[in-house]
Amino acid sequence: MQHIEQYFKSLTESRTPHNLYEPIEYILNQGGKRIRPQLVQLGTTVFGGDLSAAINPAAAFEMLHNFTLIHDDIMDNSSMRRGQETVFKKWNTNIAILSGDALANMAMLELLKTPVSHDVLIELIELLGQTSLEICEGQQLDLDFETNTHVTINQYIGMIRKKTAVLLAGCLKAGALISDASPANLENIYQYGINLGITFQLKDDLFDVYANEQMFGKQLGGDIRSNKKTYLYLLALEKANDNQKEELIRWFSSSDQDDTLKFNAVKTIFDQLNILQHTEAVIEQYISKATECVNNLTVEADKKELLIHFANELAKRNK
Amino acid sequence: MQHIEQYFKSLTESRTPHNLYEPIEYILNQGGKRIRPQLVQLGTTVFGGDLSAAINPAAAFEMLHNFTLIHDDIMDNSSMRRGQETVFKKWNTNIAILSGDALANMAMLELLKTPVSHDVLIELIELLGQTSLEICEGQQLDLDFETNTHVTINQYIGMIRKKTAVLLAGCLKAGALISDASPANLENIYQYGINLGITFQLKDDLFDVYANEQMFGKQLGGDIRSNKKTYLYLLALEKANDNQKEELIRWFSSSDQDDTLKFNAVKTIFDQLNILQHTEAVIEQYISKATECVNNLTVEADKKELLIHFANELAKRNK
């Protein structure tokens, strides 16, 4: 998406104070996969909308995403992202809080530029505001789970739905909104996005243990090292016998074990319980649900094909 | 403003996760002066708008204000506000970042409920977004000034304009917008609010040194103790002779002096330079400018009287 890269380059030019806008320029021009702008475009294409009008919501949702990254990195004390220092590490916490706040507002102001009727604009704004609020709820649930020893699989899915899936769904719906999609189509494309988003996160959880390390491009086992309660861990707890359960809980209740020893021990239990196969089966279910949503759309077959292709590519991705 | 207190009580009821919404409920129900809701009402009254429609923008702008307080308190490491612990002290920094983010979104969603045409709604949303962005810029300038040894009075006024005045002006303009005020009236009420807001902050700066401590209700000299470059300090630097300047800079470059000794020494210099009288004269100028804006409005005389009365009360306030 060449367009958006150029768009972001000029967005913060000559704005002051520099300490507020430099971090924003920095994070917006780091690249990343740009999945959210792609999804706005995809939603627009599927419903035959004006792709040139999609640039504003595409930029706005990508800005919203980057605002959440700036603040999440403070909360998670993450020092690196996309191979570069995070904003709060490169500058400081105060600047990261404030430039995140500013970026969230810029996203809203960007969305207001979308060349659509005021009625559609109001719906876009409500979508962005509601999406952003749900992402906050999802991040809070994620923080809560760190100290909660009784997280269920359903609660976990509810958390990633809010933390990850609503944003992908919101992007698709934004594209559909600017293309005057019907209420039923809006609902189906949104649910397609939710199922896609959950798939996306479950794949991420899988990669931490089962990726091809060379293709993945980073070290495996980060979630296990930081005792993160991923889908794999919660599923394993559910399927484990008493001994395996005790062992898992022991590994996940301390941080000062040998990393390789811990990773191998946990992976051994996961393997014994067929966690890879079970998770892949669950991913298939979410892909099926996504496909069902696509089938319910009243659009041309080739447009449906685009959405199904996108979902399958996501299911097959290896990094 | 009884209405808004009741309104806030039910706003976060039954929302989850609790760790996200409890801090929001806590800060919204702490009271405070509610100047911003009052200004939305005032703007509505002056232009003969529907006061029952003002509740949503009144709540939204008060929520925006409280979002900035939650985040500012983290940045300024402030432990008390309105006689109670700040959110980040009572909970923690992560929860304060996230509940502030959520509250900012809730403000936008609250504004969307305003029962006005979509055209007016878009203008309200742009006003809220633009105001919020400028407040971020003002807060960043304030942080920058802490380490900048060459802040001019003009730069200081520019900072408080963004950090404090645009929000008061925005509240008045929101009330005017929902009352279908003309473009010229919108501009004049906004500029009235800017001048009011600058007055408001200059009074705050004065109180730190010259308030009646009993009426003020808190200890004087907080700004001096924390080496804050207030209007008084910058004005004193400008008017000081070489000796006084050197002494001022010495007192403001360290934090481990005796507080009473420091306060008395700085106040002595301020007194020698007639800083109280000069600042009061400048406040009078801003009140005059505010009055001029009121005179330019095309509304009934009794409505103008309301605005002039409000400005004079603000100029006379002693806490």
Side-chain angles (χ1 to χ4, degrees):
Chain A
M1 207 176 184
Q2 183 64 28
H3 209 155
I4 205 147
E5 304 301 337
Q6 286 164 351
Y7 197 77
F8 281 152
K9 276 205 177 62
S10 58
L11 201 68
T12 54
E13 255 175 23
S14 77
R15 290 215 198 192
T16 57
H18 292 300
N19 278 338
L20 186 66
Y21 289 109
E22 264 172 18
I24 292 174
E25 190 184 349
Y26 172 79
I27 197 166
L28 288 183
N29 293 297
Q30 266 179 355
K33 294 188 281 286
R34 303 295 194 208
I35 287 178
R36 290 144 199 94
Q38 280 180 48
L39 287 174
V40 176
Q41 277 200 320
L42 183 59
T44 309
T45 303
V46 165
F47 296 102
D50 175 5
L51 276 173
S52 71
I55 184 77
N56 306 110
F61 278 89
E62 182 70 9
M63 288 157 85
L64 172 66
H65 173 55
N66 280 278
F67 137 67
T68 66
L69 297 182
I70 294 177
H71 281 190
D72 283 6
D73 286 338
I74 306 172
M75 295 182 231
D76 302 340
N77 198 22
S78 304
S79 48
M80 299 294 285
R81 173 174 298 278
R82 298 167 182 159
Q84 292 182 264
E85 273 187 299
T86 55
V87 168
F88 100 97
K89 271 286 169 192
K90 192 173 164 77
W91 283 272
N92 58 52
T93 301
N94 285 355
I95 285 180
I97 292 174
L98 213 45
S99 57
D101 290 344
L103 186 50
N105 279 301
M106 289 169 72
M108 187 60 80
L109 293 170
E110 177 63 36
L111 195 61
L112 281 175
K113 296 186 204 155
T114 316
V116 287
S117 74
H118 281 182
D119 293 350
V120 172
L121 206 46
I122 298 287
E123 291 193 71
L124 283 173
I125 288 157
E126 185 154 16
L127 177 64
L128 190 82
Q130 197 58 48
T131 302
S132 183
L133 186 58
E134 288 191 72
I135 294 171
C136 291
E137 293 175 356
Q139 170 69 0
Q140 184 63 56
L141 289 171
D142 200 14
L143 293 175
D144 289 347
F145 287 179
E146 284 176 15
T147 52
N148 179 350
T149 50
H150 297 286
V151 181
T152 67
I153 287 198
N154 269 348
Q155 287 173 325
Y156 182 77
I157 296 288
M159 183 275 284
I160 64 175
R161 183 187 185 286
K162 289 192 167 179
K163 187 169 170 173
T164 305
V166 296
L167 181 53
L168 304 193
C171 290
L172 286 157
K173 187 173 173 178
L177 275 171
I178 67 168
S179 313
D180 292 319
S182 70
N185 279 340
L186 286 171
E187 181 57 22
N188 276 307
I189 194 82
Y190 189 83
Q191 292 306 329
Y192 162 81
I194 292 290
N195 288 303
L196 208 66
I198 293 172
T199 302
F200 188 78
Q201 185 57 52
L202 293 180
K203 286 290 282 190
D204 252 16
D205 286 4
L206 265 187
F207 284 149
D208 188 62
V209 184
Y210 293 104
N212 177 322
E213 195 156 332
Q214 279 177 325
M215 294 181 87
F216 192 44
K218 56 184 176 187
Q219 211 191 342
L220 301 185
D223 290 341
I224 292 177
R225 201 158 44 243
S226 61
N227 299 325
K228 197 156 172 59
K229 299 182 184 95
T230 64
Y231 187 82
L232 279 59
Y233 173 75
L234 296 171
L235 187 67
L237 271 192
E238 204 172 73
K239 296 193 175 295
N241 61 32
D242 287 351
N243 284 344
Q244 290 166 324
K245 197 167 176 172
E246 196 190 320
E247 203 187 329
L248 271 176
I249 291 175
R250 186 160 36 80
W251 281 115
F252 273 71
S253 57
S254 157
S255 304
D256 41 357
Q257 311 108 326
D258 178 273
D259 283 347
T260 312
L261 209 67
K262 182 178 181 180
F263 179 79
N264 288 334
V266 171
K267 184 167 187 292
T268 299
I269 301 176
F270 284 179
D271 287 344
Q272 287 164 355
L273 299 168
N274 294 318
I275 297 302
L276 170 62
Q277 293 74 11
H278 283 297
T279 306
E280 280 180 337
V282 170
I283 287 176
E284 275 310 310
Q285 284 172 21
Y286 280 103
I287 293 287
S288 292
K289 286 190 204 177
T291 307
E292 208 179 297
C293 296
V294 172
N295 289 333
N296 289 336
L297 292 174
T298 53
V299 294
E300 301 89 330
D302 61 326
K303 303 291 178 60
K304 294 186 182 183
E305 211 34 66
L306 281 179
L307 292 167
I308 288 169
H309 178 75
F310 194 94
N312 287 327
E313 286 299 304
L314 199 69
K316 280 190 296 185
R317 78 189 171 108
N318 46 32
K319 65 169 188 170
Chain B
M1 207 174 183
Q2 184 62 31
H3 208 154
I4 206 149
E5 305 302 335
Q6 287 164 352
Y7 197 78
F8 281 152
K9 275 205 177 63
S10 59
L11 201 68
T12 53
E13 255 175 22
S14 76
R15 291 214 198 193
T16 57
H18 292 300
N19 278 337
L20 186 66
Y21 288 109
E22 263 172 17
I24 292 174
E25 190 184 348
Y26 172 79
I27 198 165
L28 288 183
N29 292 297
Q30 266 178 354
K33 295 187 282 285
R34 304 295 195 208
I35 287 178
R36 290 145 199 92
Q38 282 181 47
L39 288 174
V40 175
Q41 277 200 320
L42 183 59
T44 309
T45 303
V46 165
F47 296 102
D50 176 5
L51 277 173
S52 71
I55 184 76
N56 307 110
F61 278 89
E62 183 69 9
M63 288 157 84
L64 172 66
H65 173 55
N66 281 278
F67 137 66
T68 66
L69 297 182
I70 295 176
H71 281 190
D72 283 6
D73 286 338
I74 308 172
M75 295 181 232
D76 302 339
N77 198 21
S78 304
S79 49
M80 299 294 285
R81 173 174 297 279
R82 299 167 180 159
Q84 293 183 263
E85 273 187 300
T86 53
V87 168
F88 100 97
K89 272 285 170 191
K90 193 173 164 77
W91 284 272
N92 58 51
T93 300
N94 285 355
I95 285 181
I97 292 174
L98 213 44
S99 57
D101 290 345
L103 186 51
N105 279 301
M106 288 170 72
M108 187 59 82
L109 293 170
E110 178 62 37
L111 195 62
L112 282 176
K113 297 185 203 157
T114 315
V116 288
S117 73
H118 280 182
D119 292 351
V120 173
L121 207 47
I122 297 287
E123 291 192 71
L124 283 173
I125 288 157
E126 183 154 17
L127 177 64
L128 191 83
Q130 196 58 47
T131 302
S132 183
L133 186 58
E134 287 190 73
I135 294 170
C136 292
E137 293 175 356
Q139 170 70 0
Q140 184 63 56
L141 289 171
D142 201 14
L143 294 175
D144 289 347
F145 287 178
E146 284 176 15
T147 51
N148 179 349
T149 50
H150 297 286
V151 180
T152 67
I153 287 199
N154 269 348
Q155 286 174 324
Y156 182 76
I157 296 288
M159 182 275 283
I160 64 175
R161 184 187 185 286
K162 290 192 166 177
K163 187 168 171 174
T164 304
V166 295
L167 181 52
L168 304 193
C171 289
L172 287 157
K173 186 172 173 179
L177 275 170
I178 66 167
S179 313
D180 292 320
S182 70
N185 280 339
L186 287 172
E187 180 57 21
N188 275 307
I189 194 83
Y190 190 83
Q191 291 306 327
Y192 162 82
I194 292 290
N195 288 303
L196 208 67
I198 293 172
T199 302
F200 189 79
Q201 186 57 51
L202 293 181
K203 286 290 282 189
D204 252 18
D205 286 5
L206 264 188
F207 285 149
D208 189 62
V209 185
Y210 292 105
N212 176 322
E213 194 155 332
Q214 278 178 325
M215 296 181 88
F216 192 44
K218 55 185 175 185
Q219 211 192 343
L220 302 185
D223 291 342
I224 292 177
R225 202 160 41 244
S226 61
N227 299 325
K228 197 156 171 60
K229 298 181 186 97
T230 65
Y231 187 81
L232 280 58
Y233 173 76
L234 296 171
L235 187 66
L237 271 192
E238 205 172 72
K239 296 193 175 294
N241 63 32
D242 287 353
N243 284 343
Q244 291 166 322
K245 197 167 177 173
E246 197 190 319
E247 203 187 329
L248 272 175
I249 291 175
R250 187 159 37 79
W251 283 114
F252 273 72
S253 57
S254 156
S255 304
D256 41 358
Q257 310 107 327
D258 177 271
D259 283 346
T260 312
L261 208 68
K262 181 178 180 180
F263 180 78
N264 289 334
V266 170
K267 184 167 185 294
T268 299
I269 301 176
F270 284 180
D271 288 344
Q272 288 164 355
L273 299 168
N274 294 318
I275 296 302
L276 171 62
Q277 294 74 11
H278 282 298
T279 306
E280 281 180 338
V282 170
I283 287 176
E284 275 310 310
Q285 285 172 21
Y286 280 104
I287 293 286
S288 292
K289 285 191 204 175
T291 307
E292 207 179 297
C293 295
V294 173
N295 289 334
N296 289 336
L297 292 174
T298 54
V299 295
E300 301 90 330
D302 61 327
K303 302 292 178 59
K304 292 187 183 183
E305 211 34 67
L306 282 178
L307 293 167
I308 288 170
H309 178 75
F310 194 94
N312 286 327
E313 286 298 305
L314 199 70
K316 280 191 296 184
R317 78 189 171 109
N318 46 33
K319 64 171 189 169

